[in-house]
Amino acid sequence: MENGKPTLHHPQNSQSHLTLWLLEELGIEYNLVLYARVQNRAPPSLHAIHPLGKSPTLITPAGRVLTERSAIALWLISTYDSGARFRVPPPSPDSGDDDAVREEQLMSLGGTTLSPLLMTKLVLALAVTQAPALVRGVPALVRRAVDRAFLDAETAAVFAHLDAQLGGGRAWFLGTEEPTRADFSLMWYVDWAVQWKWLDLEKYPRLKAFHGRCTARPAWGRALEKGNGYNLVFW
């Protein structure tokens, strides 16, 4: 690829920010192509890179097109983390269950359990805001009913579980000194919920500290500066 560097295709206000954050943490050289949303959706030009117009999309120096944050993080860490700062440590008598299986379990929890819950909350919220004013009360009633009957309790249970996973004085989910792929992945769901005010971090002190550690890292700030916006409540 161009200059022998990976290239991140980065739409504004998207989960691609978490990949940009990882690139900054790795401290490598990379190409960054910024995209503005079109009517709040991925622009047609991004579909020319990948048929689904996925966010994020990373092209390796060899020209391989990668999508999905977890897969991109796996490739970036495997390729560029020569000091093993962000890798799961090899098993040891003291590591217990903090291994690659636990990392995968936590990432799967985010992608297959928490993400559908948050996406449902998003769809219901947009059904209210996008409805004509005269009938907006109907989807609002549906939203409140679904939240009370199911969504609020389910999302609270998942966030309580994640909060518990940071017990024992852990800064990061695998008890490491630096974030691993699990942390780069789970921060997306936590921050998504925080920005939409679906998550009250005061109820989850460990998650609050985790969120603060992520956003306080210099690489997070550099990613914000180099990107073109990270406001997830843009509708």
Side-chain angles (χ1 to χ4, degrees):
M1 209 54 206
E2 183 183 353
N3 303 323
K5 307 172 188 176
T7 298
L8 177 63
H9 292 265
H10 178 78
Q12 66 182 146
N13 304 329
S14 73
Q15 59 182 300
S16 183
H17 172 74
L18 283 296
T19 301
L20 187 54
W21 172 33
L22 175 55
L23 283 164
E24 286 297 315
E25 290 281 5
L26 289 167
I28 64 172
E29 294 186 355
Y30 59 91
N31 303 306
L32 182 62
V33 183
L34 301 177
Y35 295 81
R37 288 183 176 270
V38 177
Q39 296 181 339
N40 294 330
R41 302 301 302 272
S45 55
L46 194 55
H47 289 263
I49 308 301
H50 187 278
L52 297 179
K54 295 291 289 183
S55 168
T57 297
L58 185 111
I59 302 181
T60 73
R64 183 177 183 182
V65 179
L66 301 177
T67 61
E68 306 300 337
R69 279 185 305 110
S70 60
I72 292 172
L74 176 62
W75 184 84
L76 285 173
I77 292 172
S78 299
T79 304
Y80 295 108
D81 185 21
S82 57
R85 287 180 60 203
F86 308 114
R87 302 188 192 198
V88 179
S92 72
D94 299 325
S95 62
D97 294 335
D98 289 323
D99 56 9
V101 174
R102 184 164 186 268
E103 181 184 56
E104 188 63 33
Q105 184 177 6
L106 287 166
M107 294 179 62
S108 295
L109 175 70
T112 64
T113 300
L114 186 52
S115 183
L117 294 171
L118 298 182
M119 184 58 71
T120 303
K121 290 184 78 70
L122 176 62
V123 170
L124 291 173
L126 295 180
V128 175
T129 59
Q130 301 300 310
L134 290 176
V135 298
R136 195 166 293 158
V138 175
L141 286 172
V142 173
R143 177 189 181 185
R144 286 196 293 271
V146 175
D147 278 343
R148 285 197 303 266
F150 175 70
L151 280 179
D152 286 347
E154 290 295 317
T155 53
V158 177
F159 283 125
H161 176 70
L162 289 176
D163 192 74
Q165 298 306 300
L166 290 165
R170 290 167 177 253
W172 308 106
F173 278 99
L174 290 179
T176 50
E177 294 184 3
E178 296 281 0
T180 67
R181 203 160 53 106
D183 303 288
F184 291 113
S185 176
L186 290 171
M187 178 54 178
W188 160 248
Y189 306 107
V190 173
D191 204 42
W192 180 10
V194 166
Q195 289 201 33
W196 274 88
K197 296 182 170 32
W198 300 326
L199 172 62
D200 180 1
L201 284 176
E202 297 303 321
K203 297 179 180 179
Y204 309 96
R206 299 184 190 95
L207 275 182
K208 180 181 179 180
F210 165 78
H211 184 270
R213 274 189 293 274
C214 292
T215 57
R217 291 177 74 88
W220 180 277
R222 292 195 300 272
L224 289 176
E225 293 172 0
K226 293 182 179 181
N228 54 346
Y230 180 56
N231 173 21
L232 303 179
V233 192
F234 56 82
W235 278 278

